[in-house]
Amino acid sequence: MIKNYLKIAWRNLVRQRLYSLINISGLAVGLAVCMLIMLYVAHEHSYDRFHKNGDRIYTLHATIKIGGNAMNMAYMSYGTGPIIKQNLPKIEDYMRTMDYGHGHVIVYDPAAPDTKFADNKLLFADAGFFKFFSFKLVSGSPSDVLSKPFSIVLSKDMARKYFGNADPIGKTLTIKTDTALSYQVTGVAENAPSNSSINFNFIASASTLSSVKSFARRIGEQQGIGPGSFNVYLLLRDKRDTGQVKRVMQAIVKADKNAYDDEKFSLQPFASTHLENNFGDVTNIKYLKIFPVVAILVLLLALVNYMSLSTARATLRAKEVGVRKVTGASRRNIAKQFYVESALFAFISFGLGYFLCYVFKPLFLSTIKLTIDNSFLHSPLVLALMAGLLVVTILVAGSYPSLVLSSFNPVVTLKGKMSKQSGGAVVRKVFTTLQFAISIGLIIGGIVIDRQLYYMRHADTGINKENVIMIPVGAAFDGHYAAFSREIKNLSGVSEIATSHYGMFQSYDMYSVGGKNPKEQIMLPSLTVDQNFVNVLGLNWKYPPSPNTTLEGHNKVVINEEAIAKLHLEPNPVGTYIKAGGDNLQNPVGMYMKAGNDNLQIVGVLKDFNFSSMEQTIKPLGLFAAPDTAKFWGKYSCNLFARIKPKTNLPTLLDAIKGIYKKYDIDTPFTYTFLDDAFNAQYQAEDRLASMFSLFTVITVVLATMGLFGLAAFTIEQRTKEIGIRKVLGASISSINGLLSKDFVKLVSLSILVASPVAWWFMHNWLQGFAYHINIQWWMFAGAGLLAVVVTVITVSYHAIRAAIANPVDSLRSE
């Protein structure tokens, strides 16, 4: 019997090629979108769950108060792990890691010192790293590979890169951080999975850190318990002991005279680190709330389209159903037949959807800037999700068509009177309204997101971002930075240069200073710059320095307008406050602010400018100008800013800058960033959201159009004889088209009314996450509605015009 059902289903599929193609492709696209989103969401939630003891591993964090301001610290001291384990038997083990986060390191084989590579992801770890975590070793013993200083484990990719097919065990690699050290290769590990929050190319023994210049001092200073520079992981004997562990840690801190005020510890499950400690925008937790909803909506639209098109073609199967019932077939058997047919369609659609998912996976992952291992596609979790999706698709897709088609009255169907038999007209209209409401809502959301991103990129931030490049320089420039910067400045395409410790829009230091009253302390963001920084970035003075006043000096600071209202300022030596014209801000130039034991003299006030994302209000800021550029900047890593003259040949200039750079640092790759690109990079999450919104909007509009196509075909097919009579009586093609389009335009108009307030509410709340944002305009709703109406008219007109130009004799012949 099933075999017979499949034969009939296949014959109908081949006979009605156009509708079969629309049905299968529409459902396949919806399934492909659903699969991609499922893959993304499942991958994000699977982070770090492959570790054998993952449910008992916790990351350690601290909250401290500095000057009354609470600060969350993700890194702990070198001595924290051993002290906790010594005092608490419920801790089975601890692990410390240190990610060398200073960019690229120079790596080469001492046997071929002229062949050097710039690589990243250098991790220092305690000896038991491969026993604590479940990363797989290809060669080497988990207990021994990191037990000695200057030992290193390579990932498979790095082993192949540096040693080819040869066995690297026992061989030597030289790695230059701020110190060039030789390491013996003691193991090779499988590449870290894409769903691991710990990533590595090289894992060096933590006992080597005392020989690395930048970390040796930190280790000596971080022997107690508290915040520091290391990731500290704790393996509990029982995961229910977290409360007792925190109490013991608090007792240890309370007895420590060097601890910060109100220092508190927290334990976080290791598996939740990726989603909850999203410091680097690796993922975005709001996507994991939005995307599953989108996946469900897209799949629902695809299934609704399938069911609408299936029942829309019901008239072609009506007499078949009537004959089957007259010859003794029960409604149950007929329902089973159509369920099998729907299952075949769903199975073919699922296979095509999986193929589309595989083909478009690289594009999807590139858009959301994510990497997923191909092996994850075949993991038990993903296979179970795919199987569940197939079952749900078959159950839902077959339900409505089988119920409708099996309910036909054989007497009526055999007489050819199907006008009231097909049923479900109201349901299909509701579905069509829902489809277009979702599409219109997404179109409105896409317009709002696009306008907000445009606004943020083109708003006046108080910085002249155009034609400025940032060039990071490292320790290799020690003693040469003054010469390097001088040569850059002398290039014909460079108008002026400046220096800052951090790249703009990337980071800043925090300085504890006096607040509004003598007892209050606030954390003041601060940038260490040189005296040219203000001019090169085009910053504007609110209260400029006094004539002949230099910005440089250990006890001098330039602040912004926002800082005036937040700081406790001491009167200037004359003892007067100078009122600024037209506002209530005091001119604080010459005044002092308290910073620890120091008194900092304010030498100028800058107008407020956005030195971080426009999602945040402008914060108080202090600029400290280094007193001696030649000596100061040679000791520290920094960024050189170069303003480029108009009409300069950029490729030629960049080649010249690279040539000068390589004179002083031949090993480190030359990199640069345009200042406006650095500003735009702050909005990567919004860019990804905009890209996804655009993609999902196009898909939902296509699916809604396909649903409308099916409903229009069904409706016009029922009214074929009516159209023939109207044409015989003299109706024009345009009047028939208008008559048939009117009902569908009403449905879309209702969709606009439903979607607009919902879209406004969601997008209004989304905009509240930005300190500076646009206002939602009426034309955004009008534009989305107009697009929907145009698509509707074009889709319906296709069927209406075909019916209107048909020979009315053919339409009326059976009467």
Side-chain angles (χ1 to χ4, degrees), residues 334-401:
I334 294 173
K336 187 187 299 183
Q337 173 193 340
F338 287 113
Y339 230 117
V340 171
E341 291 187 18
S342 296
L344 176 63
F345 273 78
F347 195 81
I348 295 173
S349 299
F350 188 87
L352 180 58
Y354 188 84
F355 173 76
L356 293 174
C357 170
Y358 190 83
V359 169
F360 288 100
K361 179 173 74 79
L363 177 62
F364 175 77
L365 297 180
S366 173
T367 302
I368 61 175
K369 294 179 174 58
L370 184 68
T371 300
I372 297 181
D373 296 331
N374 284 330
S375 59
F376 186 76
L377 277 172
H378 310 108
S379 65
L381 172 63
V382 172
L383 293 178
L385 288 172
M386 293 295 179
L389 179 61
L390 176 59
V391 171
V392 169
T393 302
I394 291 174
L395 290 175
V396 176
S399 58
Y400 185 63

Side-chain angles (χ1 to χ4, degrees), residues 26 94 104 118 155 158 384 407 448 451 468 471 603 615 679 704:
Y94 68 90
H104 290 85
S155 68
M158 293 299 105
S407 66
V448 173
R451 291 297 85 196
V468 177
I471 304 167
V603 293
E615 294 182 48
F679 177 78

Side-chain angles (χ1 to χ4, degrees), residues 414-710:
L414 291 175
K415 285 184 178 180
K417 298 179 179 180
M418 285 297 299
S419 60
K420 303 296 182 182
Q421 276 291 298
S422 58
V426 174
V427 175
R428 282 192 292 276
K429 289 180 180 180
V430 170
F431 282 154
T432 301
T433 303
L434 175 63
Q435 287 173 322
F436 272 91
I438 294 171
S439 300
I440 292 167
L442 287 176
I443 293 170
I444 294 170
I447 293 173
V448 173
I449 292 173
D450 177 75
R451 291 297 85 196
Q452 175 63 16
L453 286 174
Y454 181 87
Y455 167 75
M456 290 191 298
R457 290 197 170 105
H458 295 83
D460 183 9
T461 61
I463 302 175
N464 184 358
K465 303 186 294 292
E466 302 298 322
N467 298 321
V468 177
I469 60 173
M470 299 188 300
I471 304 167
V473 297
F477 285 78
D478 190 0
H480 305 293
Y481 182 75
F484 168 71
S485 59
R486 188 165 51 249
E487 289 189 53
I488 298 296
K489 185 177 181 180
N490 290 335
L491 291 172
S492 58
V494 175
S495 61
E496 49 186 340
I497 63 167
T499 307
S500 173
H501 179 44
Y502 295 112
M504 201 64 190
F505 311 117
Q506 294 176 356
S507 188
Y508 48 80
D509 292 315
M510 299 295 285
Y511 216 86
S512 180
V513 297
K516 290 182 179 179
N517 57 71
K519 295 183 179 180
E520 181 186 7
Q521 291 287 311
I522 69 168
M523 299 305 297
L524 178 72
S526 63
L527 296 171
T528 303
V529 300
D530 69 0
Q531 190 151 269
N532 299 327
F533 185 81
V534 173
N535 291 333
V536 171
L537 267 66
L539 306 181
N540 298 305
W541 291 107
K542 177 71 174 179
Y543 304 122
S546 302
N548 302 320
T549 298
T550 176
L551 305 183
E552 298 173 353
H554 173 69
N555 65 335
K556 294 181 179 179
V557 64
V558 173
I559 62 174
N560 64 352
E561 294 175 275
E562 184 65 21
I564 299 177
K566 299 290 176 66
L567 300 177
H568 174 66
L569 302 177
E570 300 292 340
N572 60 27
V574 181
T576 60
Y577 293 95
I578 305 171
K579 295 290 184 182
D583 57 39
N584 294 321
L585 292 179
Q586 296 170 338
N587 182 345
V589 173
M591 298 182 187
Y592 292 84
M593 64 182 187
K594 195 74 172 175
N597 296 322
D598 296 327
N599 287 318
L600 299 177
Q601 184 184 25
I602 299 170
V603 293
V605 177
L606 290 166
K607 289 185 178 180
D608 285 338
F609 63 94
N610 292 94
F611 58 92
S612 60
S613 169
M614 292 184 71
E615 294 182 48
Q616 307 167 3
T617 56
I618 296 176
K619 299 177 182 177
L621 177 69
L623 296 183
F624 295 88
D628 187 341
T629 301
K631 293 181 179 179
F632 181 85
W633 298 114
K635 296 179 182 178
Y636 306 102
S637 60
C638 60
N639 285 264
L640 182 141
F641 293 76
R643 179 165 290 282
I644 302 171
K645 294 178 181 177
K647 300 180 181 180
T648 297
N649 187 309
L650 269 177
T652 302
L653 177 63
L654 290 172
D655 284 341
I657 294 175
K658 181 179 180 180
I660 297 171
Y661 182 94
K662 287 298 182 182
K663 283 174 57 178
Y664 299 101
D665 188 352
I666 194 172
D667 295 329
T668 308
F670 170 72
T671 59
Y672 64 91
T673 306
F674 283 93
L675 190 58
D676 51 359
D677 289 339
F679 177 78
N680 293 335
Q682 299 176 104
Y683 309 112
Q684 292 180 359
E686 285 69 30
D687 281 334
R688 292 198 294 271
L689 187 61
S691 299
M692 288 296 97
F693 245 90
S694 299
L695 176 62
F696 295 146
T697 299
V698 170
I699 291 172
T700 54
V701 169
V702 170
L703 291 176
T705 303
M706 291 174 67
L708 182 65
F709 186 92

Side-chain angles (χ1 to χ4, degrees), residues 123-169:
L123 186 73
F124 291 90
D126 282 328
F129 181 83
F130 287 96
K131 294 179 68 178
F132 193 93
F133 296 112
S134 298
F135 296 108
K136 297 178 181 178
L137 276 175
V138 177
S139 58
S141 168
S143 303
D144 300 330
V145 287
L146 297 174
S147 60
K148 297 178 181 178
F150 307 105
S151 299
I152 196 165
V153 175
L154 310 182
S155 68
K156 282 182 71 174
D157 284 349
M158 293 299 105
R160 190 179 301 112
K161 177 177 180 177
Y162 288 97
F163 300 103
N165 295 323
D167 184 5
I169 303 300

Side-chain angles (χ1 to χ4, degrees), residues 59 84 88 97 177 188 253 351 367 388 398 400 443 497 546 573 618 644 744 808:
T59 54
I84 293 176
L88 196 61
T97 65
T177 53
V188 176
V253 169
T367 302
Y400 185 63
I443 293 170
I497 63 167
S546 302
I618 296 176
I644 302 171
F744 293 100

